[in-house]
Amino acid sequence: MSALFTLSICLLSGLLMSRLAKKLGLPAVTAYLIAGLLLGPFCIGSLGLRGLGFASLDQVSAYNAISQAALGFIAFAIGNEFRLQQLRQMGRAAIVIGILQAVLTTALVDAVLLGLHFWRPQLISAAAALTLGAIAAATVPAATLMVVRQYKADGPLTRLLLLVVAIDDAVGLVLFAVSFGVASALTSGTVSVVSVVVEPLVEIVLSLGLGVLMGLLLNLLERYFHSRSKRLSISVGCVALTVAVSSAEFTVGGVHCGFSLLLVCMMMSTVFCNICDFSEELMGRVDGWTTPLFVLFFVLSGAELDLAILKNPAVLLLGAAYILSRSAGKYLGAFESAALCGCSPETRNYLGITLLPQAGVALGMALTAQSLPGDGMMVRSIVLFSVLVYELVGPTLTKWALLAAGEIRPEGKTSARKKNA
C-alpha cells in the first residue's frame, strides 16, 4: 500500500507541476523532474513521512523496474522513426552526423580535461579524463522524445534528431568501451583487447540480433489477434518481455556478454514497423498508453538527482569544465557534420542544441567507471552533477531550438496543439 501511495503521489505531483511549468513556458519534462527533486531525499523526503516522498536514494532505486520499463518503451517509440522511407530520405545524414558529433565531443572533452590534468595533476587523473570524454558522447533520448511529443514538433530537424539520438547510443557504447579500456590500462599497466574491442562489438551485435528476433515475434503474435485492445496488450507484453531479457548477462570463453536495453528495443520496433502493415496505428495506441509511465519515469529520475555532490568544490569545477566542453563539442560536431551532409541552415544551427540532454546511458557508464582505481568516484560525481544540470536545462533548450527552427507550432490561447505543418 505504501508503494502504491508513493507512486500515485509521484504521478499526481508531476502532472500538477506541469500546469505551473506551462504558465512559465517550460516543457512538461522539466516540471516532472522538479517534482521528483522536491519529493526526493533532499527536500520533502527528508521529513521522513512514510509514502510521501523518498527518504533515501536507495528507496528511489527500489522502483528501478519502472524506470527500466519506461526506457524500453521510449526506445520502442524511437525505433518507429526508422521506417524505410525515412531511412531513404536521411539515413546517410543521420549515420554521418551520429558518428562525427559523438567522436568530436569525446575528443574535445578529452582535450580540455587532459589539459586540466597536466596543469594540476592532483585535480584529475588522465584515466578519469579519458573516461569522462567517452561518457560525454552519450545523449539521452527520453527528454528529447517527450518534448517532441508534447509540442507535436515535426520537420526535417525533428526527424533527423530522432534518428541521430538513436545512432548516438551505439557510437557511445563503442567509444566508452575503448576509452575505459585505455583508462584501465593506464591505472593497471595492462591492456585487454577483449574489453576494449571485442566486448563492445559483441554487445552491439547481440543487441541488434535480439531486437530482430523480438520484432519478428511481435509481428507473429499480433497477427493472431484482431481486436485493438488485445493487440495493444500483446505490444505492451512483448516490450516488457524484451526489457526483462535485455538485463541478462553471461560469459562465453572469457568474453563478458550483455545487451543494451535501448538498442534492443529500438531494433525490435524498427523490424516490427517495417514488416507489419498495421504498425502505424498500433504504435499510436502504445504511445497513448505509456504517458503515465513516462511521467513516473521522469519524476523518479528527478528524485534520483543527488544534491550532496554540490558540496564538493572540485566536482563543481571539473563539472563546469565537462559541461562547457561537452556542450561545445555537441554543437560544433553537429554543425560541421550537418554542413558536410548538406543539411539546411536550421538543422545546422539548432541540431547541436537538441543533443545536449544527458541522463540514463551516461549514468550507466558512470556506474561502470566507478570501479576505476583512484578517481572512479570522482568520475561518477562529475557525471551526476552534469546530469543534474542537463536534465533541468536540456528540455527547455530543446524546445527553444525546435521553436526557433520553425518545427513547433507557437501556442495560442488554447491548450490544444496540432501537428506542425
Side-chain angles (χ1 to χ4, degrees):
M1 191 175 86
S2 177
L4 187 60
F5 185 81
T6 299
L7 289 177
S8 64
I9 291 296
C10 288
L11 182 59
L12 293 173
S13 61
L15 292 172
L16 291 173
M17 185 65 73
S18 69
R19 301 307 301 169
L20 176 60
K22 179 176 172 57
K23 293 184 181 297
L24 298 175
L26 298 174
V29 179
T30 304
Y32 304 150
L33 290 165
I34 293 174
L37 198 60
L38 294 175
L39 292 172
F42 302 98
C43 194
I44 295 176
S46 63
L47 300 177
L49 301 175
R50 187 180 179 186
L52 187 62
F54 304 93
S56 67
L57 294 175
D58 289 336
Q59 285 188 9
V60 185
S61 300
Y63 296 91
N64 189 51
I66 293 176
S67 298
Q68 292 295 100
L71 281 174
F73 280 101
I74 287 167
F76 187 71
I78 290 178
N80 187 39
E81 302 298 321
F82 283 82
R83 294 180 181 269
L84 290 178
Q85 184 179 0
Q86 285 278 82
L87 293 176
R88 290 192 191 100
Q89 291 177 349
M90 53 183 63
R92 174 183 168 273
I95 293 172
V96 171
I97 295 172
I99 295 174
L100 291 183
Q101 58 84 23
V103 172
L104 184 58
T105 300
T106 295
L108 187 56
V109 175
D110 279 344
V112 170
L113 295 182
L114 284 173
L116 287 175
H117 163 70
F118 290 119
W119 177 55
R120 288 283 190 276
Q122 71 276 14
L123 195 60
I124 185 173
S125 66
L130 291 174
T131 303
L132 284 166
I135 294 175
T139 298
V140 61
T144 302
L145 179 65
M146 288 294 284
V147 171
V148 168
R149 280 188 178 178
Q150 180 185 354
Y151 296 103
K152 303 294 187 294
D154 192 28
L157 171 58
T158 302
R159 291 191 288 270
L160 180 62
L161 167 63
L162 294 175
L163 294 177
V164 170
V165 166
I167 293 169
D168 186 82
D169 285 320
V171 179
L173 285 172
V174 175
L175 289 173
F176 176 74
V178 173
S179 296
F180 187 63
V182 173
S184 299
L186 288 176
T187 55
S188 65
T190 58
V191 179
S192 173
V193 177
V194 172
S195 62
V196 173
V197 179
V198 178
E199 288 184 354
L201 294 179
V202 168
E203 181 174 340
I204 291 175
V205 171
L206 287 177
S207 299
L208 296 178
L210 178 59
V212 170
L213 289 177
M214 296 306 295
L216 294 173
L217 176 63
L218 175 58
N219 178 61
L220 180 65
L221 292 175
E222 293 287 7
R223 297 188 183 278
Y224 278 102
F225 301 91
H226 300 286
S227 73
R228 293 179 176 179
S229 59
K230 289 180 180 178
R231 281 180 168 173
L232 173 62
S233 300
I234 286 292
S235 300
V236 173
C238 279
V239 175
L241 175 63
T242 304
V243 171
V245 175
S246 299
S247 63
E249 296 181 1
F250 52 93
T251 303
V252 178
V255 178
H256 178 265
C257 301
F259 302 94
S260 166
L261 167 63
L262 294 175
L263 283 181
V264 173
C265 291
M266 278 190 285
M267 193 63 189
M268 171 191 181
S269 177
T270 300
V271 171
F272 174 69
C273 290
N274 283 289
I275 64 175
C276 181
D277 52 2
F278 53 84
S279 63
E280 191 114 31
E281 178 194 356
L282 189 56
M283 292 297 290
R285 295 179 65 81
V286 172
D287 289 346
W289 180 88
T290 53
T291 300
L293 182 64
F294 290 169
V295 174
L296 284 175
F297 168 72
F298 284 105
V299 173
L300 291 172
S301 297
E304 281 185 314
L305 297 177
D306 189 353
L307 299 184
I309 58 176
L310 300 179
K311 299 177 181 178
N312 189 337
V315 169
L316 297 180
L317 173 62
L318 293 171
Y322 172 85
I323 290 170
L324 292 175
S325 57
R326 178 182 179 272
S327 300
K330 285 290 180 183
Y331 184 82
L332 293 174
F335 184 93
E336 295 298 334
S337 54
L340 183 66
C341 295
C343 296
S344 66
E346 289 79 15
T347 298
R348 294 199 301 268
N349 292 331
Y350 299 112
L351 178 60
I353 298 173
T354 63
L355 296 174
L356 293 181
Q358 188 177 45
V361 178
L363 289 174
M365 293 176 178
L367 192 61
T368 302
Q370 189 174 319
S371 62
L372 190 70
D375 280 354
M377 288 303 298
M378 176 65 78
V379 170
R380 182 174 180 273
S381 297
I382 292 170
V383 173
L384 286 173
F385 173 64
S386 72
V387 166
L388 174 64
V389 174
Y390 279 126
E391 282 291 83
L392 295 177
V393 178
T396 302
L397 292 176
T398 299
K399 176 198 171 183
W400 174 83
L402 293 176
L403 190 61
E407 301 198 1
I408 289 180
R409 186 186 184 96
E411 294 180 83
K413 295 182 179 179
T414 66
S415 61
R417 297 189 180 94
K418 296 180 180 178
K419 190 174 181 179
N420 182 35

